Amino acid sequence: MIISHDRQTLFIGVPKNGSQTARAVLGQVGVDLVGELGRHPIAREAIRLAEARFPDEAIAPTAIYAFWRDPVERFCSAVEFHKRCLPNSFIQLFPDRFVGIERHPRWLEPDPNAINLDMRAVIDSVPPLDILAALPPPPVPGVSLQPRGSNLSFYRPQSEWLGGTAVTILPFADYEAGLREIVDWFGGDGVSVEIPQINAAAGPLSELSMYEAEAVRAYYAGDLPL
C-alpha cells in the first residue's frame, strides 16, 4: 500500500503485521496509496491504485515486500486488538451475551477505559476459540478476499495478501531489521530511521493451550506454507 517514488518498490501491509507502523515509516520515503482510508489492499489492487494515482505511468514494481507472522501469534494479536478497541463488533458476533447492555457510542475506541464496565466484563469473558468459531470459514483456494465484515478484516489469513504474486516475504520476528531493509529499498536511510510502535498490544498477548493453538493453525492452514 506504499509505493516508492520511482514506482519500483511496493510494500503490502498485511493487517496485524505491523502495517500501520510501516505506513508511518515508509510514507516518508514513498507514496501512500490508501491515504486516510487505512485499507489493506492486496498486491494487484495496490497496483491498480497506483495506476489511478499516476495515470500517465506504467506501474510494474520490480520488488514487492510484506511481512509474515506466525499465525497463532497473529491471531492472539488480533484478539487483543479486537477486545481492546472494537466493543460493538462483539455485540454483532454474540448478541445473546449482551442483553441489556447498550452499544458503545464509538465503533473504534482507542481508550479501553472508556468502555462500560459491564460491556468490558462480557468482552473479556469471550474465549479466543469462540471468536475463531464465529469467523467465516477459511477462504476457498484461488478465491481471494471473500466478503467479510469490515471489523473482522484483521482476522483474514495472510495468504489472501501474500498469495498469487511474487512477494519477498520477511519474518515478523525480525520486524525492525526487515523494515529498515525496506526503507533502504525505497531509497531512504534504514539505519537512521525512527520506528514507532503503532497499534501495539497494550499488554502481553494471551497464551493459548495446545488444543487452542492447533485449532488456530487448522483455520490458518493456508498461511503455514508461506
Side-chain angles (χ1 to χ4, degrees), residues 7 55 59 69 71 80 86 93 98 102 107-108 111 115 127-128 132 141 147 162 164 167 172 183 194 196 203 213 217:
R7 324 289 188 256
I59 306 297
R69 190 173 189 177
E80 189 277 338
L86 297 172
L93 290 176
F98 291 86
E102 294 185 2
W107 182 260
L108 174 65
D111 179 8
I115 298 173
L132 186 71
L162 304 181
V167 179
F172 184 82
V183 170
E194 294 186 10
R217 290 190 186 96

Side-chain angles (χ1 to χ4, degrees), residues 62-84:
T62 58
I64 303 176
Y65 288 93
F67 284 99
W68 178 89
R69 190 173 189 177
D70 174 78
V72 174
E73 178 187 319
R74 180 173 176 263
F75 174 75
C76 291
S77 176
V79 169
E80 189 277 338
F81 171 77
H82 192 181
K83 288 190 172 186
R84 174 164 49 95

Side-chain angles (χ1 to χ4, degrees), residues 16 19-21 77 80-81 84-85 108 110 197-202:
K16 303 315 301 174
S19 58
Q20 297 306 317
T21 294
S77 176
E80 189 277 338
F81 171 77
R84 174 164 49 95
C85 298
L108 174 65
Q197 288 191 339
I198 300 177
N199 282 348

Side-chain angles (χ1 to χ4, degrees), residues 21-221:
T21 294
R23 286 183 69 198
V25 173
L26 297 176
Q28 303 174 49
V29 291
V31 179
D32 191 336
L33 296 175
V34 296
E36 295 301 320
L37 295 176
R39 293 187 296 115
H40 296 268
I42 62 174
R44 293 187 297 276
E45 183 187 1
I47 290 174
R48 289 196 298 269
L49 291 170
E51 291 172 341
R53 180 75 65 88
F54 308 103
D56 298 327
E57 300 184 35
I59 306 297
T62 58
I64 303 176
Y65 288 93
F67 284 99
W68 178 89
R69 190 173 189 177
D70 174 78
V72 174
E73 178 187 319
R74 180 173 176 263
F75 174 75
C76 291
S77 176
V79 169
E80 189 277 338
F81 171 77
H82 192 181
K83 288 190 172 186
R84 174 164 49 95
C85 298
L86 297 172
N88 289 333
S89 69
F90 280 90
I91 296 179
Q92 289 186 338
L93 290 176
F94 309 106
D96 294 344
R97 304 187 190 194
F98 291 86
V99 175
I101 298 177
E102 294 185 2
R103 293 173 60 86
H104 188 70
R106 301 173 61 180
W107 182 260
L108 174 65
E109 180 51 76
D111 179 8
N113 295 321
I115 298 173
N116 176 283
L117 291 179
D118 290 337
M119 173 180 272
R120 169 56 63 199
V122 176
I123 290 173
D124 288 345
S125 71
V126 177
L129 286 195
D130 284 8
I131 299 175
L132 186 71
L135 299 178
V140 177
V143 179
S144 63
L145 293 176
Q146 292 176 298
R148 303 179 181 215
S150 60
N151 62 304
L152 300 179
S153 62
F154 46 86
Y155 285 114
R156 288 173 176 166
Q158 296 168 87
S159 54
E160 295 192 28
W161 280 269
L162 304 181
T165 188
V167 179
T168 298
I169 299 175
L170 301 174
F172 184 82
D174 297 321
Y175 180 81
E176 183 172 315
L179 186 55
R180 293 185 187 281
E181 177 183 337
I182 298 172
V183 170
D184 288 337
W185 274 98
F186 268 71
D189 183 0
V191 172
S192 63
V193 70
E194 294 186 10
I195 299 179
Q197 288 191 339
I198 300 177
N199 282 348
L205 298 180
S206 59
E207 294 186 9
L208 303 184
S209 68
M210 185 177 298
Y211 169 77
E212 291 172 326
E214 285 305 312
V216 172
R217 290 190 186 96
Y219 183 87
Y220 291 104

